[in-house]
Amino acid sequence: MTHEHHTHDARDARRTTPAPGAEPRPRADGGDPGREVDELRPDGGTDAAPVVVKIGGARAVDPEGAVGDVATLVDSGREVVVVHGGSTAVDDTLEALGEEPTYVETPGGVVGRFTDERTMEVFSMVLPGKLNTDITASLRGAGVDALGLSGVDGGLLTGPRKSAVRVIEDGKKKIKRGDHSGKITDVNGDLLETLLGDGYTPVVTVPMLADDGVAVNADADRAAAAVAGALGADLVVLSDVEGVYADPDDPATLIGSVATPEEFDGLKNAADGFMRKKVMAAEEALEAGARAVVVASANADDPITAALAGSGTHIAASAVVTDEEPTDVEGEATG
């Protein structure tokens, strides 16, 4: 049974124009940057949709700025859900235990983690055990009534398990068995809405609860997308770069605004490496009911507020109109 709820009518994306004097952001297809597009609302008014903030787990991501910014948004009356990854910390712990993390490439060209039984044990120790506790404590120290949850708690994140994955090894397609990962198909939106209504700020991480009752790994970006879709929220994905670049090696080519399917195709073509998963997650979030998505830097001053106000790569709901099933990526809880 699904607990997922969508409140699209109450949380429809609003159409706005850039602030007076603001520089129009470049578009993915090189089109008119001054054209009106769906924007996120920078104000924290109580009539605004919730904000789901995904804090990446890359080594270069400093979560402290996001912690202070969450406190500011909550103080202003905005409902916030924090979702975090922690792949780097998992890798560090594995290596400290004398074990090597395993990454694989899918036939679709996406790199993801292969989670064997031992790696799953480390995930359970590091993500809900240490990182979730640390972020929750930091938020509470900033005055936020934060409450830590894994996807297992209350059946928050559930879906089918995948014990085998399709990979490319030595240029050949193979089936790799023994994976402990899953695909999130259901979100207990009632639980999140109850917590938000009671004044709590949920801090969510994987693992998810698979349909066989086992805790398994899942991609943290896609977990954030599922949560944003269930709440009809604005999704802010914080990473170690400023957004999606047309040239992955040149920050000056930041794609600022994406509002049409053609522009979104350009965005997908530009996304490289782990950024491909973030763009895929953005697509899933919008298809599931999120109002809009921003991919932005976690290391900027007031990173969430800055993203809501215009920094980063903004993806409007109008950019995603397809009903096609997105390409699958096997479990990776990265940032």
Side-chain angles (χ1 to χ4, degrees):
M1 181 178 73
T2 180
H3 298 274
E4 192 168 3
H5 292 275
H6 301 301
T7 51
H8 303 171
D9 292 340
R11 294 167 177 161
D12 282 343
R14 299 173 185 264
R15 251 181 157 31
T16 65
T17 54
E23 286 293 326
R25 295 191 300 273
R27 295 183 173 279
D29 66 348
D32 178 9
R35 192 171 69 241
E36 184 180 88
V37 297
D38 289 324
E39 301 282 359
L40 300 184
R41 293 183 55 194
D43 68 281
T46 55
D47 63 328
V51 180
V52 174
V53 180
K54 195 277 177 170
I55 300 176
R59 198 180 307 277
V61 170
D62 181 0
E64 288 307 309
V67 166
D69 219 6
V70 168
T72 299
L73 287 169
V74 171
D75 283 345
S76 72
R78 196 83 182 257
E79 294 179 337
V80 180
V81 177
V82 175
V83 180
H84 69 86
S87 189
T88 298
V90 171
D91 286 351
D92 290 346
T93 304
L94 283 168
E95 290 170 2
L97 294 172
E99 302 179 33
E100 283 291 325
T102 301
Y103 287 88
V104 295
E105 182 180 353
T106 71
V110 180
V111 176
R113 179 189 297 278
F114 183 81
T115 309
D116 59 18
E117 184 174 2
R118 178 56 173 158
T119 302
M120 190 63 232
E121 291 176 353
V122 173
F123 261 102
S124 296
M125 290 189 293
V126 173
L127 269 75
K130 176 172 171 44
L131 295 183
N132 190 267
T133 299
D134 288 349
I135 293 174
T136 301
S138 294
L139 285 165
R140 295 195 68 85
V144 178
D145 204 357
L147 188 149
L149 295 165
S150 81
V152 173
D153 297 320
L156 179 57
L157 305 174
T158 58
R161 179 180 178 175
K162 301 171 188 173
S163 59
V165 295
R166 291 185 296 274
V167 302
I168 298 293
E169 289 184 0
D170 301 323
K172 298 179 180 179
K173 294 182 180 180
K174 298 181 180 180
I175 300 294
K176 192 173 180 67
R177 304 190 183 278
D179 193 35
H180 286 63
S181 67
K183 180 180 180 181
I184 299 167
T185 56
D186 295 298
V187 176
N188 188 343
D190 288 344
L191 174 58
L192 293 175
E193 289 176 352
T194 297
L195 292 171
L196 291 168
D198 287 343
Y200 291 102
T201 296
V203 182
V204 178
T205 189
V206 296
M208 61 171 279
L209 185 64
D211 50 7
D212 59 359
V214 175
V216 297
N217 186 18
D219 177 66
D221 288 316
R222 298 174 84 175
V227 169
L231 295 177
D234 295 329
L235 173 60
V236 177
V237 179
L238 297 178
S239 185
D240 57 351
V241 294
E242 296 178 8
V244 185
Y245 305 146
D247 177 351
D249 298 321
D250 185 0
T253 64
L254 174 71
I255 298 171
S257 179
V258 178
T260 69
E262 293 75 20
E263 291 171 351
F264 192 71
D265 285 342
L267 186 75
K268 289 192 287 187
N269 289 335
D272 187 53
F274 286 114
M275 188 58 72
R276 295 184 63 184
K277 293 198 295 82
K278 298 186 187 304
V279 172
M280 185 182 300
E283 183 173 18
E284 292 179 2
L286 295 170
E287 288 178 335
R291 292 203 320 175
V293 179
V294 185
V295 181
S297 173
N299 302 320
D301 293 335
D302 303 320
I304 308 166
T305 303
L308 294 174
S311 69
T313 298
H314 286 235
I315 309 169
S318 57
V320 176
V321 296
T322 179
D323 292 326
E324 294 178 3
E325 184 73 13
T327 303
D328 194 21
V329 181
E330 287 76 12
E332 160 69 14
T334 188

